[in-house]
Amino acid sequence: MLDLGEVLDPFRKQVIDVKDALARARYLYDGLDLILENVEDSKIRGASQEVFSAASERMDTIDAMLDEFYRQLSSADRTLENYKVNPKG
């Protein structure tokens, strides 16, 4: 029988890789935000803060979705493992 863990592992790795990429993007985003704090034009600072606020919310949403997807993958793997141990439930 096919081991679901072996099937799910590449997906879990992809989730981790995407979360790492998101963390790197957030790091760059924070750096750009710091640079823009020193801009003298208040309109540019205000606009950039709005953009960064919206981007931050979306990054947080994506991060939460990835966490949930990873939990679901792990739960499916555990469910199958429990089923293999006790096939009648």
Side-chain angles (χ1 to χ4, degrees), residues 18-28 30 59 63:
V18 172
K19 285 183 66 71
D20 286 346
L22 184 61
R24 286 190 300 274
R26 192 179 302 254
Y27 177 78
L28 294 172
D30 288 342
M59 284 190 281
D63 196 36

Side-chain angles (χ1 to χ4, degrees), residues 10-28 58-74:
F11 293 105
R12 284 191 283 240
K13 184 183 178 327
Q14 285 181 338
V15 169
I16 291 168
D17 290 346
V18 172
K19 285 183 66 71
D20 286 346
L22 184 61
R24 286 190 300 274
R26 192 179 302 254
Y27 177 78
L28 294 172
R58 284 173 177 77
M59 284 190 281
D60 290 343
T61 299
I62 291 168
D63 196 36
M65 290 168 61
L66 289 168
D67 287 342
E68 179 59 26
F69 185 49
Y70 190 90
R71 280 191 289 276
Q72 289 174 357
L73 290 169
S74 296

